[in-house]
Amino acid sequence: MFQKILIANRGEIALRVLRACKELGIQTVVVHSTADSDAMHVRLADESVCIGPPPSRESYLNIHQIVAACEITGADAVHPGYGFLSENAKFADILAAHNITFIGPSGDHIRIMGDKIEAKRTAKRLGIPVVPGSDGAISDDKEAKRVAAEIGYPVIIKASAGGGGRGMKVARTEADLEVALQTAKSEAGAAFGDDAVYIEKYLEKPRHIELQVFGDGAGHGVHFGERDCSLQRRHQKVWEEANSPALNAEERARIGGICAKAIADLGYSGAGTIEFLYENGEFYFIEMNTRLQVEHPVTEAITGIDLVHEQIRVASGGGLSVRQEDIKFNGHAIECRINAEDPRTFTPSPGTITHFHTPGGLGIRVDSGVYSGYRIPPYYDSLIGKLIVHGRNRVECMMRLRRALDEFVVDGIKTTLPLFRDLVGNPDIANGDYDIHWLEEYLAKED
Ligand code: ADP
């Protein structure tokens, strides 16, 4: 087991990882920018190292400084959290070259999944269902037209290097296709320095359903069920739940089995999430994230398994603590992402939190790095906390969520709490009846 882990992140996830380390009796080092000197993760860690000024590029993304912090403090492993360097293959390689363990998969696996064409090809080879489309990059209009005619309109053009929903264009007819192709290519070139694009069938009303998987790096893979993250705004997840209201136990076991086998065959190590669009009973792979996800607590709530403990065990060579048959799904969990944003316009609302009171009671978990009197710096993303609620079934979970949202107090800044208070009373949400467009349509109606 590791002696000392350096946490290369900030906010609620730094605290989340810190808690797991403390439980396992592992010493902790956190790194922070000058804007985060009074952050909770800095206060609670055994050691802290200031690695630079506020901009992420000069601090949380500064590989040199982070490696130097490992060497100075004698950390033998790094947990990258999510975002920042968590899916940076070069960072994983550099740590390996310094004999420091990256708590995550190999640089090569990160690289494959970071290239969407390569990821899709790999998924298909491993027996994961993918969206019908071109085999690789599309070179010209003629090829695009041929593929589109084959799979049928509407189609979507996507950037191979894509991320954050950028560089995607929908074409509903052949007449739209040339323009969509050109726009997608130039957007991808400008945003990612790589204009490779591919084409696939556009699904009209899918849900976003993702499978939590784990590999032990020695040829074993398991799945921890799915999360439904269909409630999104601008491709950002807002509300996540496990299980998905749309799946039954047989469907879960079937797609879970496919994913676990794929992970085993790939020789993958650590946590991963295989994301699908789901429509009319069919799954369509869209991408794989090679890290812990923001929404991992809903999976922890229904399985009772600490996924960060598992990550640390696997990275230290101790294997997984569970076999597939040990993983049971109990009840229902929902996570609300609480952002320091105006709940109507979603513009960031940094500033000082004058009063912070979190709900409690059975089935309630709040993961947050903030406290009363904390000043939210304007440099980073606006997530200030996550409310995770568990109940024996979805109805109980929703009752408890409504009560917990009423108890939650954040004064001094604007937050997205009022949005969740509206959503929890909405009949479509109560029925679990929503797809990936539902939230945008709902917000457009409210305006
Ligand atoms: P990114 O990495 O940029 O987030 P994804 O491939 O994960 O790109 O897709 C982001 C979102 O775009 C999906 O959650 C979905 O809303 C939409 N999308 C992507 N592919 C399709 C498709 N084939 N049909 C319909 N919507 C799609």
Side-chain angles (χ1 to χ4, degrees):
M1 191 41 91
F2 305 119
Q3 299 294 312
K4 198 184 262 192
I5 291 178
L6 182 142
I7 301 163
N9 216 299
R10 64 180 302 281
E12 68 86 21
I13 196 61
L15 207 56
R16 164 73 189 89
V17 175
L18 197 114
R19 286 175 173 145
C21 293
K22 284 189 186 258
E23 286 169 8
L24 296 171
I26 300 169
Q27 291 287 304
T28 51
V29 184
V30 298
V31 290
H32 66 92
S33 73
T34 51
D36 277 341
S37 306
D38 57 355
M40 201 60 138
H41 69 285
V42 178
R43 293 185 179 193
L44 293 183
D46 297 309
E47 291 171 74
S48 64
V49 181
C50 180
I51 50 165
S56 305
R57 208 154 279 292
E58 296 170 55
S59 50
Y60 296 102
L61 292 172
N62 187 331
I63 295 179
H64 287 301
Q65 289 286 61
I66 294 170
V67 173
C70 289
E71 301 214 307
I72 292 165
T73 56
D76 44 12
V78 171
H79 195 301
Y82 53 68
F84 293 130
L85 295 169
S86 61
E87 288 177 294
N88 186 310
K90 194 173 116 195
F91 182 52
D93 289 346
I94 289 175
L95 288 178
H98 284 79
N99 271 328
I100 301 164
T101 305
F102 175 74
I103 301 177
S106 67
D108 286 345
H109 283 153
I110 299 176
R111 225 168 256 119
I112 290 172
M113 294 304 167
D115 172 333
K116 301 186 114 193
I117 289 179
E118 198 48 44
K120 193 171 172 186
R121 200 174 279 145
T122 304
K124 197 169 168 186
R125 178 170 61 74
L126 292 167
I128 296 173
V130 300
V131 193
S134 58
D135 268 339
I138 285 282
S139 47
D140 56 32
D141 288 357
K142 219 173 106 206
E143 191 188 355
K145 281 182 187 160
R146 184 181 55 73
V147 176
E150 229 170 76
I151 58 180
Y153 288 89
V155 297
I156 182 167
I157 321 269
K158 297 169 72 171
S160 183
R166 281 177 302 171
M168 289 191 286
K169 288 283 165 263
V170 178
R172 296 209 161 262
T173 62
E174 191 175 293
D176 302 339
L177 191 62
E178 259 174 59
V179 179
L181 191 65
Q182 281 324 311
T183 338
K185 263 184 167 309
S186 59
E187 266 186 38
F192 313 112
D194 171 1
D195 74 350
V197 295
Y198 61 108
I199 191 165
E200 59 187 31
K201 177 97 188 136
Y202 179 70
L203 303 166
E204 297 279 3
K205 289 203 146 293
R207 297 178 82 110
H208 172 117
I209 297 183
E210 58 185 34
L211 269 287
Q212 174 71 57
V213 290
F214 251 92
D216 67 356
H220 302 106
V222 294
H223 75 89
F224 287 79
E226 82 285 4
R227 293 182 287 259
D228 195 317
C229 314
S230 302
L231 289 174
Q232 303 185 358
R233 181 183 167 272
R234 302 208 172 146
H235 301 303
Q236 300 296 316
K237 297 163 187 167
V238 170
W239 160 305
E240 301 101 343
E241 44 187 307
N243 304 310
S244 167
L247 287 198
N248 61 35
E250 289 78 54
E251 287 177 290
R252 172 169 315 113
R254 190 181 67 81
I255 191 68
I258 291 172
C259 291
K261 179 170 185 306
I263 286 305
D265 292 348
L266 192 60
Y268 187 83
S269 176
T273 296
I274 305 183
E275 298 194 337
F276 294 96
L277 295 176
Y278 174 84
E279 194 174 65
N280 299 327
E282 299 290 335
F283 285 91
Y284 302 94
F285 170 87
I286 44 171
E287 66 173 341
M288 175 167 177
N289 293 323
T290 52
R291 55 167 166 82
L292 191 70
Q293 306 263 107
V294 177
E295 59 274 22
H296 75 278
V298 290
T299 301
E300 295 184 323
I302 64 161
T303 60
I305 298 165
D306 186 309
L307 297 179
V308 180
H309 282 193
E310 294 302 318
Q311 285 189 294
I312 295 172
R313 273 183 67 110
V314 167
S316 70
L320 286 159
S321 76
V322 283
R323 291 161 305 173
Q324 190 66 57
E325 56 269 34
D326 304 323
I327 303 169
K328 302 272 185 281
F329 305 105
N330 273 314
H332 195 90
I334 295 176
E335 173 181 280
C336 298
R337 294 193 190 193
I338 299 158
N339 288 346
E341 286 171 1
D342 183 303
R344 298 199 66 80
T345 62
F346 298 93
T347 44
S349 174
T352 300
I353 297 177
T354 53
H355 188 61
F356 188 71
H357 172 80
T358 56
L362 182 63
I364 307 291
R365 165 174 173 183
V366 177
D367 276 19
S368 169
V370 309
Y371 50 86
S372 291
Y374 176 73
R375 203 168 61 80
I376 301 167
Y379 310 102
Y380 311 108
D381 83 28
S382 55
L383 181 75
I384 56 162
K386 307 184 303 204
L387 169 62
I388 305 103
V389 178
H390 182 240
R392 284 174 301 174
N393 49 51
R394 194 167 184 273
V395 172
E396 187 178 82
C397 184
M398 291 282 282
M399 279 165 34
R400 197 164 273 160
L401 175 58
R402 182 194 298 258
R403 185 275 291 170
L405 286 164
D406 282 346
E407 262 181 54
F408 216 131
V409 180
V410 186
D411 286 340
I413 56 159
K414 290 181 184 165
T415 74
T416 48
L417 277 167
L419 169 67
F420 294 112
R421 293 185 184 121
D422 287 345
L423 290 180
V424 80
N426 183 282
D428 287 347
I429 301 294
N431 294 327
D433 186 12
Y434 54 79
D435 60 33
I436 58 169
H437 304 297
W438 189 93
L439 185 59
E440 298 262 8
E441 286 163 10
Y442 170 81
L443 293 168
K445 267 187 273 167
E446 294 292 290
D447 274 347

PDB file of all heavy atoms in Angstrom, residues 328-354:
ATOM      1  N   LYS A 328     -24.074  -5.611  -5.226  1.00  0.00           N
ATOM      2  CA  LYS A 328     -25.547  -5.636  -5.203  1.00  0.00           C
ATOM      3  C   LYS A 328     -26.062  -4.201  -5.310  1.00  0.00           C
ATOM      4  O   LYS A 328     -25.420  -3.279  -4.814  1.00  0.00           O
ATOM      5  CB  LYS A 328     -26.043  -6.230  -3.872  1.00  0.00           C
ATOM      6  CG  LYS A 328     -25.522  -7.644  -3.598  1.00  0.00           C
ATOM      7  CD  LYS A 328     -26.447  -8.690  -4.216  1.00  0.00           C
ATOM      8  CE  LYS A 328     -26.042 -10.115  -3.876  1.00  0.00           C
ATOM      9  NZ  LYS A 328     -24.923 -10.628  -4.674  1.00  0.00           N
ATOM     10  N   PHE A 329     -27.201  -4.040  -5.936  1.00  0.00           N
ATOM     11  CA  PHE A 329     -27.767  -2.704  -6.133  1.00  0.00           C
ATOM     12  C   PHE A 329     -28.949  -2.505  -5.187  1.00  0.00           C
ATOM     13  O   PHE A 329     -29.956  -3.210  -5.285  1.00  0.00           O
ATOM     14  CB  PHE A 329     -28.178  -2.529  -7.595  1.00  0.00           C
ATOM     15  CG  PHE A 329     -27.037  -2.798  -8.523  1.00  0.00           C
ATOM     16  CD1 PHE A 329     -26.972  -3.967  -9.259  1.00  0.00           C
ATOM     17  CD2 PHE A 329     -25.987  -1.899  -8.618  1.00  0.00           C
ATOM     18  CE1 PHE A 329     -25.893  -4.227 -10.092  1.00  0.00           C
ATOM     19  CE2 PHE A 329     -24.898  -2.149  -9.439  1.00  0.00           C
ATOM     20  CZ  PHE A 329     -24.851  -3.322 -10.179  1.00  0.00           C
ATOM     21  N   ASN A 330     -28.772  -1.567  -4.261  1.00  0.00           N
ATOM     22  CA  ASN A 330     -29.768  -1.352  -3.220  1.00  0.00           C
ATOM     23  C   ASN A 330     -30.441  -0.001  -3.319  1.00  0.00           C
ATOM     24  O   ASN A 330     -29.790   1.027  -3.116  1.00  0.00           O
ATOM     25  CB  ASN A 330     -29.091  -1.398  -1.847  1.00  0.00           C
ATOM     26  CG  ASN A 330     -29.026  -2.806  -1.340  1.00  0.00           C
ATOM     27  OD1 ASN A 330     -30.029  -3.524  -1.415  1.00  0.00           O
ATOM     28  ND2 ASN A 330     -27.854  -3.203  -0.875  1.00  0.00           N
ATOM     29  N   GLY A 331     -31.733   0.017  -3.604  1.00  0.00           N
ATOM     30  CA  GLY A 331     -32.483   1.266  -3.578  1.00  0.00           C
ATOM     31  C   GLY A 331     -32.126   2.192  -4.718  1.00  0.00           C
ATOM     32  O   GLY A 331     -31.716   1.760  -5.807  1.00  0.00           O
ATOM     33  N   HIS A 332     -32.265   3.499  -4.449  1.00  0.00           N
ATOM     34  CA  HIS A 332     -32.135   4.496  -5.503  1.00  0.00           C
ATOM     35  C   HIS A 332     -31.384   5.705  -4.966  1.00  0.00           C
ATOM     36  O   HIS A 332     -31.534   6.056  -3.796  1.00  0.00           O
ATOM     37  CB  HIS A 332     -33.536   4.909  -5.974  1.00  0.00           C
ATOM     38  CG  HIS A 332     -33.510   5.633  -7.276  1.00  0.00           C
ATOM     39  ND1 HIS A 332     -33.604   4.975  -8.487  1.00  0.00           N
ATOM     40  CD2 HIS A 332     -33.355   6.946  -7.563  1.00  0.00           C
ATOM     41  CE1 HIS A 332     -33.511   5.863  -9.468  1.00  0.00           C
ATOM     42  NE2 HIS A 332     -33.363   7.064  -8.930  1.00  0.00           N
ATOM     43  N   ALA A 333     -30.568   6.327  -5.795  1.00  0.00           N
ATOM     44  CA  ALA A 333     -29.836   7.533  -5.371  1.00  0.00           C
ATOM     45  C   ALA A 333     -29.888   8.606  -6.448  1.00  0.00           C
ATOM     46  O   ALA A 333     -29.897   8.305  -7.648  1.00  0.00           O
ATOM     47  CB  ALA A 333     -28.385   7.180  -5.049  1.00  0.00           C
ATOM     48  N   ILE A 334     -29.928   9.860  -5.994  1.00  0.00           N
ATOM     49  CA  ILE A 334     -29.938  11.013  -6.906  1.00  0.00           C
ATOM     50  C   ILE A 334     -28.892  11.999  -6.433  1.00  0.00           C
ATOM     51  O   ILE A 334     -28.731  12.225  -5.226  1.00  0.00           O
ATOM     52  CB  ILE A 334     -31.338  11.689  -6.926  1.00  0.00           C
ATOM     53  CG1 ILE A 334     -32.379  10.728  -7.502  1.00  0.00           C
ATOM     54  CG2 ILE A 334     -31.305  13.004  -7.735  1.00  0.00           C
ATOM     55  CD1 ILE A 334     -33.805  11.249  -7.476  1.00  0.00           C
ATOM     56  N   GLU A 335     -28.164  12.580  -7.394  1.00  0.00           N
ATOM     57  CA  GLU A 335     -27.201  13.646  -7.062  1.00  0.00           C
ATOM     58  C   GLU A 335     -27.621  14.940  -7.753  1.00  0.00           C
ATOM     59  O   GLU A 335     -27.959  14.938  -8.934  1.00  0.00           O
ATOM     60  CB  GLU A 335     -25.801  13.253  -7.545  1.00  0.00           C
ATOM     61  CG  GLU A 335     -24.786  14.400  -7.392  1.00  0.00           C
ATOM     62  CD  GLU A 335     -23.383  14.029  -7.886  1.00  0.00           C
ATOM     63  OE1 GLU A 335     -22.660  13.366  -7.131  1.00  0.00           O
ATOM     64  OE2 GLU A 335     -23.020  14.397  -9.015  1.00  0.00           O
ATOM     65  N   CYS A 336     -27.582  16.041  -6.996  1.00  0.00           N
ATOM     66  CA  CYS A 336     -27.787  17.369  -7.579  1.00  0.00           C
ATOM     67  C   CYS A 336     -26.459  18.123  -7.505  1.00  0.00           C
ATOM     68  O   CYS A 336     -25.861  18.194  -6.431  1.00  0.00           O
ATOM     69  CB  CYS A 336     -28.837  18.157  -6.788  1.00  0.00           C
ATOM     70  SG  CYS A 336     -30.451  17.377  -6.787  1.00  0.00           S
ATOM     71  N   ARG A 337     -26.040  18.675  -8.626  1.00  0.00           N
ATOM     72  CA  ARG A 337     -24.788  19.445  -8.637  1.00  0.00           C
ATOM     73  C   ARG A 337     -25.115  20.891  -8.292  1.00  0.00           C
ATOM     74  O   ARG A 337     -25.810  21.580  -9.056  1.00  0.00           O
ATOM     75  CB  ARG A 337     -24.151  19.433 -10.019  1.00  0.00           C
ATOM     76  CG  ARG A 337     -23.677  18.075 -10.444  1.00  0.00           C
ATOM     77  CD  ARG A 337     -22.791  18.230 -11.665  1.00  0.00           C
ATOM     78  NE  ARG A 337     -22.493  16.936 -12.251  1.00  0.00           N
ATOM     79  CZ  ARG A 337     -21.560  16.728 -13.159  1.00  0.00           C
ATOM     80  NH1 ARG A 337     -20.841  17.761 -13.608  1.00  0.00           N
ATOM     81  NH2 ARG A 337     -21.339  15.534 -13.642  1.00  0.00           N
ATOM     82  N   ILE A 338     -24.604  21.346  -7.159  1.00  0.00           N
ATOM     83  CA  ILE A 338     -24.913  22.709  -6.731  1.00  0.00           C
ATOM     84  C   ILE A 338     -23.799  23.632  -7.180  1.00  0.00           C
ATOM     85  O   ILE A 338     -22.641  23.477  -6.788  1.00  0.00           O
ATOM     86  CB  ILE A 338     -25.147  22.746  -5.215  1.00  0.00           C
ATOM     87  CG1 ILE A 338     -26.353  21.835  -4.923  1.00  0.00           C
ATOM     88  CG2 ILE A 338     -25.420  24.177  -4.727  1.00  0.00           C
ATOM     89  CD1 ILE A 338     -26.409  21.342  -3.535  1.00  0.00           C
ATOM     90  N   ASN A 339     -24.147  24.544  -8.073  1.00  0.00           N
ATOM     91  CA  ASN A 339     -23.160  25.464  -8.635  1.00  0.00           C
ATOM     92  C   ASN A 339     -23.369  26.868  -8.096  1.00  0.00           C
ATOM     93  O   ASN A 339     -24.508  27.262  -7.819  1.00  0.00           O
ATOM     94  CB  ASN A 339     -23.304  25.522 -10.160  1.00  0.00           C
ATOM     95  CG  ASN A 339     -22.817  24.245 -10.828  1.00  0.00           C
ATOM     96  OD1 ASN A 339     -22.148  23.423 -10.210  1.00  0.00           O
ATOM     97  ND2 ASN A 339     -23.155  24.082 -12.086  1.00  0.00           N
ATOM     98  N   ALA A 340     -22.270  27.618  -7.974  1.00  0.00           N
ATOM     99  CA  ALA A 340     -22.358  29.034  -7.630  1.00  0.00           C
ATOM    100  C   ALA A 340     -22.703  29.784  -8.913  1.00  0.00           C
ATOM    101  O   ALA A 340     -21.842  30.318  -9.599  1.00  0.00           O
ATOM    102  CB  ALA A 340     -21.036  29.513  -7.048  1.00  0.00           C
ATOM    103  N   GLU A 341     -23.987  29.728  -9.265  1.00  0.00           N
ATOM    104  CA  GLU A 341     -24.466  30.337 -10.510  1.00  0.00           C
ATOM    105  C   GLU A 341     -25.864  30.889 -10.293  1.00  0.00           C
ATOM    106  O   GLU A 341     -26.603  30.360  -9.457  1.00  0.00           O
ATOM    107  CB  GLU A 341     -24.582  29.264 -11.615  1.00  0.00           C
ATOM    108  CG  GLU A 341     -23.268  28.811 -12.183  1.00  0.00           C
ATOM    109  CD  GLU A 341     -23.430  27.593 -13.113  1.00  0.00           C
ATOM    110  OE1 GLU A 341     -24.572  27.126 -13.314  1.00  0.00           O
ATOM    111  OE2 GLU A 341     -22.396  27.120 -13.605  1.00  0.00           O
ATOM    112  N   ASP A 342     -26.199  31.870 -11.098  1.00  0.00           N
ATOM    113  CA  ASP A 342     -27.578  32.348 -11.108  1.00  0.00           C
ATOM    114  C   ASP A 342     -28.469  31.195 -11.624  1.00  0.00           C
ATOM    115  O   ASP A 342     -28.191  30.628 -12.674  1.00  0.00           O
ATOM    116  CB  ASP A 342     -27.672  33.555 -12.053  1.00  0.00           C
ATOM    117  CG  ASP A 342     -29.059  34.155 -12.064  1.00  0.00           C
ATOM    118  OD1 ASP A 342     -30.042  33.424 -12.377  1.00  0.00           O
ATOM    119  OD2 ASP A 342     -29.175  35.349 -11.782  1.00  0.00           O
ATOM    120  N   PRO A 343     -29.538  30.836 -10.885  1.00  0.00           N
ATOM    121  CA  PRO A 343     -30.323  29.665 -11.282  1.00  0.00           C
ATOM    122  C   PRO A 343     -31.132  29.869 -12.564  1.00  0.00           C
ATOM    123  O   PRO A 343     -31.652  28.902 -13.125  1.00  0.00           O
ATOM    124  CB  PRO A 343     -31.259  29.453 -10.083  1.00  0.00           C
ATOM    125  CG  PRO A 343     -31.334  30.768  -9.400  1.00  0.00           C
ATOM    126  CD  PRO A 343     -30.010  31.448  -9.640  1.00  0.00           C
ATOM    127  N   ARG A 344     -31.243  31.095 -13.053  1.00  0.00           N
ATOM    128  CA  ARG A 344     -31.982  31.329 -14.300  1.00  0.00           C
ATOM    129  C   ARG A 344     -31.042  31.520 -15.480  1.00  0.00           C
ATOM    130  O   ARG A 344     -31.246  30.956 -16.539  1.00  0.00           O
ATOM    131  CB  ARG A 344     -32.908  32.538 -14.165  1.00  0.00           C
ATOM    132  CG  ARG A 344     -33.973  32.348 -13.080  1.00  0.00           C
ATOM    133  CD  ARG A 344     -35.121  33.302 -13.269  1.00  0.00           C
ATOM    134  NE  ARG A 344     -35.859  33.027 -14.498  1.00  0.00           N
ATOM    135  CZ  ARG A 344     -36.771  32.061 -14.603  1.00  0.00           C
ATOM    136  NH1 ARG A 344     -37.073  31.310 -13.562  1.00  0.00           N
ATOM    137  NH2 ARG A 344     -37.395  31.868 -15.743  1.00  0.00           N
ATOM    138  N   THR A 345     -29.989  32.330 -15.277  1.00  0.00           N
ATOM    139  CA  THR A 345     -29.114  32.643 -16.409  1.00  0.00           C
ATOM    140  C   THR A 345     -27.857  31.765 -16.427  1.00  0.00           C
ATOM    141  O   THR A 345     -27.149  31.721 -17.421  1.00  0.00           O
ATOM    142  CB  THR A 345     -28.651  34.109 -16.337  1.00  0.00           C
ATOM    143  OG1 THR A 345     -27.902  34.260 -15.108  1.00  0.00           O
ATOM    144  CG2 THR A 345     -29.809  35.069 -16.314  1.00  0.00           C
ATOM    145  N   PHE A 346     -27.570  31.119 -15.331  1.00  0.00           N
ATOM    146  CA  PHE A 346     -26.392  30.262 -15.184  1.00  0.00           C
ATOM    147  C   PHE A 346     -25.077  31.022 -15.284  1.00  0.00           C
ATOM    148  O   PHE A 346     -24.038  30.437 -15.549  1.00  0.00           O
ATOM    149  CB  PHE A 346     -26.432  29.071 -16.161  1.00  0.00           C
ATOM    150  CG  PHE A 346     -27.619  28.180 -15.918  1.00  0.00           C
ATOM    151  CD1 PHE A 346     -28.801  28.366 -16.618  1.00  0.00           C
ATOM    152  CD2 PHE A 346     -27.562  27.191 -14.955  1.00  0.00           C
ATOM    153  CE1 PHE A 346     -29.917  27.571 -16.366  1.00  0.00           C
ATOM    154  CE2 PHE A 346     -28.669  26.388 -14.695  1.00  0.00           C
ATOM    155  CZ  PHE A 346     -29.845  26.580 -15.404  1.00  0.00           C
ATOM    156  N   THR A 347     -25.118  32.348 -15.063  1.00  0.00           N
ATOM    157  CA  THR A 347     -23.846  33.072 -15.023  1.00  0.00           C
ATOM    158  C   THR A 347     -23.207  32.849 -13.654  1.00  0.00           C
ATOM    159  O   THR A 347     -23.896  32.799 -12.626  1.00  0.00           O
ATOM    160  CB  THR A 347     -24.029  34.597 -15.261  1.00  0.00           C
ATOM    161  OG1 THR A 347     -25.145  35.006 -14.478  1.00  0.00           O
ATOM    162  CG2 THR A 347     -24.279  34.925 -16.706  1.00  0.00           C
ATOM    163  N   PRO A 348     -21.868  32.679 -13.639  1.00  0.00           N
ATOM    164  CA  PRO A 348     -21.183  32.396 -12.381  1.00  0.00           C
ATOM    165  C   PRO A 348     -21.410  33.477 -11.337  1.00  0.00           C
ATOM    166  O   PRO A 348     -21.562  34.651 -11.682  1.00  0.00           O
ATOM    167  CB  PRO A 348     -19.703  32.350 -12.786  1.00  0.00           C
ATOM    168  CG  PRO A 348     -19.708  32.071 -14.244  1.00  0.00           C
ATOM    169  CD  PRO A 348     -20.955  32.714 -14.785  1.00  0.00           C
ATOM    170  N   SER A 349     -21.460  33.062 -10.069  1.00  0.00           N
ATOM    171  CA  SER A 349     -21.712  33.989  -8.976  1.00  0.00           C
ATOM    172  C   SER A 349     -20.657  33.797  -7.877  1.00  0.00           C
ATOM    173  O   SER A 349     -20.952  33.306  -6.799  1.00  0.00           O
ATOM    174  CB  SER A 349     -23.131  33.729  -8.445  1.00  0.00           C
ATOM    175  OG  SER A 349     -23.412  34.492  -7.306  1.00  0.00           O
ATOM    176  N   PRO A 350     -19.400  34.165  -8.187  1.00  0.00           N
ATOM    177  CA  PRO A 350     -18.376  34.030  -7.141  1.00  0.00           C
ATOM    178  C   PRO A 350     -18.608  35.058  -6.033  1.00  0.00           C
ATOM    179  O   PRO A 350     -19.435  35.953  -6.192  1.00  0.00           O
ATOM    180  CB  PRO A 350     -17.061  34.303  -7.876  1.00  0.00           C
ATOM    181  CG  PRO A 350     -17.421  35.080  -9.082  1.00  0.00           C
ATOM    182  CD  PRO A 350     -18.862  34.786  -9.410  1.00  0.00           C
ATOM    183  N   GLY A 351     -17.904  34.937  -4.929  1.00  0.00           N
ATOM    184  CA  GLY A 351     -18.094  35.874  -3.817  1.00  0.00           C
ATOM    185  C   GLY A 351     -17.958  35.129  -2.506  1.00  0.00           C
ATOM    186  O   GLY A 351     -17.516  33.976  -2.480  1.00  0.00           O
ATOM    187  N   THR A 352     -18.387  35.802  -1.406  1.00  0.00           N
ATOM    188  CA  THR A 352     -18.218  35.192  -0.083  1.00  0.00           C
ATOM    189  C   THR A 352     -19.503  34.511   0.370  1.00  0.00           C
ATOM    190  O   THR A 352     -20.585  35.103   0.300  1.00  0.00           O
ATOM    191  CB  THR A 352     -17.799  36.270   0.936  1.00  0.00           C
ATOM    192  OG1 THR A 352     -16.568  36.825   0.482  1.00  0.00           O
ATOM    193  CG2 THR A 352     -17.598  35.677   2.327  1.00  0.00           C
ATOM    194  N   ILE A 353     -19.383  33.274   0.815  1.00  0.00           N
ATOM    195  CA  ILE A 353     -20.526  32.557   1.379  1.00  0.00           C
ATOM    196  C   ILE A 353     -20.658  33.018   2.830  1.00  0.00           C
ATOM    197  O   ILE A 353     -19.773  32.767   3.647  1.00  0.00           O
ATOM    198  CB  ILE A 353     -20.306  31.037   1.310  1.00  0.00           C
ATOM    199  CG1 ILE A 353     -20.207  30.599  -0.157  1.00  0.00           C
ATOM    200  CG2 ILE A 353     -21.423  30.288   2.035  1.00  0.00           C
ATOM    201  CD1 ILE A 353     -19.916  29.130  -0.364  1.00  0.00           C
ATOM    202  N   THR A 354     -21.751  33.715   3.116  1.00  0.00           N
ATOM    203  CA  THR A 354     -21.887  34.261   4.467  1.00  0.00           C
ATOM    204  C   THR A 354     -22.428  33.217   5.441  1.00  0.00           C
ATOM    205  O   THR A 354     -22.132  33.247   6.632  1.00  0.00           O
ATOM    206  CB  THR A 354     -22.813  35.491   4.458  1.00  0.00           C
ATOM    207  OG1 THR A 354     -24.035  35.114   3.810  1.00  0.00           O
ATOM    208  CG2 THR A 354     -22.182  36.655   3.721  1.00  0.00           C
TER     209      THR A 354
END
